[in-house]
Amino acid sequence: MWSAVKNDLGQNHGAARDNIYIINSNAHTPMHNVYNRLLSLLLILLVALPLSAGRWDEEVGTFVASSGVSQESIALLVIDLSDGKTLCSHNEKKPLVPASIMKAVTIATLLEKCGPDWRYRTRICTTGSLRDGVLEGNIVVEGCGDPSVNSTSGPDSPDIVQSIVDALQEKDVRKIKGKIIVDCSYFPAPAVPPSWAKGDLAHYYGTGCHGFNFENNAVGKSAVSDPSAKFRTRLSSALAAAGIELCGQEISDGKRREQLTLHLSAPIDEIMRSCMMRSDNLFAEAFLRTYAALNDCPATPSEGARLELAYWKKRGLPTEGVNIVDGSGLSRSDRMTALFMGKMLTDMSDDEVYASFFPLAGQEGTLKKFLAGTPLDSYIAMKTGSMNGIQCYAGYKLDDDYAPTHVIVMMANEMKDRGRLRGALQSLLLKIFG
């Protein structure tokens, strides 16, 4: 659990008493005095409470007006975690396109299911018999949906190609009669959600998520449609360099498979942290499908989305207006409310591992330039979401121990000036927390 947090916003509103009307009665009976005192106390409560609840209304109004976004297309929610009360809000129930802050929901859901130490397990097997250094069968790679296999952007895990070569050499295999077979059936086709824009699919950020993924399913800035083919080419070359002949004959796979080696990913929390820091769509899509698979359901985006929304609804979150169709937020069919996101972040705020995934303002990832050099540098941790016309933020205000003290959600659609919006939000946060 987090250590106790400081609440530097808990100022009393005793000044409200200056606005109380004085009840002046000529009656001097004890009952009249009691009546006047009770009425005065009631007026104190009636005046003071609205002032407390609306303390930041003027600042929120200034933020909305200066953001360059229409009032109907922007939402804001700040929650004080010390008491769960809303500090300030605007349009918190309005469904908006969330972009990549959807990843914060996807990751929270899978983390709750599997825990931080869970790992992807890719089995590499052989078929057929091994006699005098000759494997009378195939090499079979059983994909498990791991998005981080030989990832060029981390986290670190063993090179699967070299691990296979090493395992074959340990068994003194010098010839493989069959082929390299990659089983991708763990994640059913299609590899991308149908709602993704066709223009995104050729780019690295729009690459598909397969049952077997390899080297981020990309080459440079371009997507690779068949990562298993790239892997087979890479492994074939490595086998030849190691003096192992690959004949490539058609040999029936059969049902009997013997494990040659097991490729373990890094712990899932490391993969999740990498995803959040770099806003990796492939990783997030794999998480959504993995969640479906771990619930013994078809590992499709639609099934993962259905199960995810059902999970949070069961936990009591307000799901009205929320529509989840993918894990990364690349789809413009996704809809999120600031209220749902804020309540989800509140539910997850006591999980130290989860909170550590969010980039620190002024320091890390997509938030490196946000609030840099200000009093809030390193005290705000948020996931960003950016698309054409869209800018969103979701995360936490932190204390000196990096423990969350407040939830922050801002969502803007139909945006025309990203810099103007970012500046307006920085100014608001500095007024509230600075």
Side-chain angles (χ1 to χ4, degrees):
M1 293 294 291
W2 295 108
S3 58
V5 298
K6 296 181 294 183
N7 179 11
D8 57 358
L9 297 175
Q11 303 175 11
N12 68 57
H13 300 275
R17 291 182 175 86
D18 295 338
N19 297 322
I20 297 171
Y21 292 103
I22 303 298
I23 307 269
N24 185 16
S25 173
N26 292 325
H28 299 289
T29 67
M31 285 302 296
H32 282 157
N33 289 337
V34 170
Y35 173 80
N36 284 340
R37 289 176 181 174
L38 289 174
L39 189 56
S40 297
L41 179 60
L42 178 61
L43 285 171
I44 289 174
L45 293 173
L46 289 174
V47 174
L49 284 176
L51 286 175
S52 175
R55 179 183 174 193
W56 299 105
D57 284 356
E58 183 177 348
E59 286 78 3
V60 171
T62 300
F63 160 70
V64 173
S66 61
S67 68
V69 181
S70 68
Q71 290 194 18
E72 295 75 21
S73 300
I74 191 167
L76 175 74
L77 181 63
V78 179
I79 299 172
D80 188 338
L81 290 171
S82 67
D83 54 16
K85 294 182 179 179
T86 297
L87 203 63
C88 56
S89 65
H90 174 80
N91 270 357
E92 69 270 23
K93 295 182 180 179
K94 177 69 179 288
L96 296 170
V97 179
S100 282
I101 65 171
M102 180 63 75
K103 294 180 175 72
V105 180
T106 305
I107 285 174
T109 311
L110 181 58
L111 185 65
E112 289 287 277
K113 178 66 177 180
C114 67
D117 299 323
W118 185 85
R119 298 172 187 256
Y120 286 99
R121 303 164 65 88
T122 303
R123 292 179 72 235
I124 297 92
C125 303
T126 59
T127 64
S129 59
L130 176 61
R131 296 186 183 92
D132 300 323
V134 178
L135 177 64
E136 302 281 349
N138 303 304
I139 301 294
V140 181
V141 179
E142 298 178 351
C144 66
D146 182 358
S148 67
V149 177
N150 281 44
S151 173
T152 57
S153 50
D156 292 334
S157 62
D159 177 359
I160 192 171
V161 173
Q162 191 59 49
S163 295
I164 294 171
V165 172
D166 290 345
L168 290 168
Q169 288 180 324
E170 286 179 10
K171 290 183 176 293
D172 198 28
V173 176
R174 296 184 298 278
K175 179 185 286 189
I176 301 169
K177 287 287 191 71
K179 297 181 176 182
I180 300 168
I181 298 172
V182 181
D183 182 354
C184 297
S185 62
Y186 191 74
F187 283 175
V192 297
S195 60
W196 281 13
K198 291 183 178 180
D200 290 333
L201 305 186
H203 304 284
Y204 72 97
Y205 60 84
T207 193
C209 180
H210 303 261
F212 179 79
N213 305 291
F214 185 68
E215 293 183 349
N216 302 85
N217 299 351
V219 174
K221 297 292 185 180
S222 299
V224 170
S225 60
D226 187 0
S228 62
K230 181 181 180 182
F231 164 76
R232 288 193 299 269
T233 300
R234 188 70 54 81
L235 180 56
S236 297
S237 297
L239 291 172
I244 302 173
E245 182 183 358
L246 179 65
C247 299
Q249 297 178 12
E250 291 289 343
I251 298 177
S252 177
D253 190 12
K255 295 182 178 180
R256 188 173 182 273
R257 296 180 181 180
E258 181 178 344
Q259 182 170 302
L260 175 68
T261 187
L262 179 66
H263 177 81
L264 291 177
S265 73
I268 193 69
D269 68 324
E270 295 183 24
I271 305 175
M272 289 175 169
R273 186 173 292 108
S274 177
C275 175
M276 289 283 277
M277 291 293 167
R278 299 180 297 104
S279 200
D280 192 299
N281 293 333
L282 168 61
F283 282 24
E285 293 306 319
F287 296 154
L288 186 67
R289 289 173 176 244
T290 299
Y291 182 69
L294 292 181
N295 281 281
D296 299 319
C297 293
T300 62
S302 59
E303 191 66 7
R306 182 189 69 80
L307 292 166
E308 180 173 88
L309 190 60
Y311 170 76
W312 291 107
K313 186 174 184 178
K314 186 176 181 180
R315 284 185 58 160
L317 266 66
T319 58
E320 185 177 358
V322 176
N323 184 44
I324 301 175
V325 300
D326 68 3
S328 63
L330 188 58
S331 173
R332 287 180 177 265
S333 297
D334 286 314
R335 291 294 182 273
M336 183 64 56
T337 66
L339 182 61
F340 175 91
M341 180 66 71
K343 295 298 185 182
M344 187 279 297
L345 291 170
T346 298
D347 271 15
M348 296 296 296
S349 63
D350 61 351
D351 188 321
E352 297 181 43
V353 172
Y354 179 72
S356 74
F357 297 157
F358 291 78
L360 285 174
Q363 301 294 321
E364 297 175 318
T366 56
L367 219 63
K368 193 167 186 177
K369 295 182 179 180
F370 189 80
L371 291 168
T374 73
L376 291 181
D377 190 319
S378 302
Y379 284 89
I380 299 290
M382 295 193 295
K383 179 73 191 75
T384 60
S386 303
M387 298 172 72
N388 186 28
I390 296 168
Q391 183 65 57
C392 302
Y393 295 87
Y396 300 105
K397 161 71 171 61
L398 308 175
D399 67 8
D400 290 334
D401 296 321
Y402 297 97
T405 63
H406 297 77
V407 165
I408 303 166
V409 182
M410 194 287 296
M411 303 173 65
N413 290 185
E414 300 181 18
M415 175 205 64
K416 297 180 180 179
D417 189 334
R418 201 177 304 276
R420 178 179 175 182
L421 173 64
R422 187 185 297 115
L425 180 60
Q426 290 179 107
S427 296
L428 176 64
L429 295 178
L430 286 167
K431 287 177 182 177
I432 295 176
F433 301 119

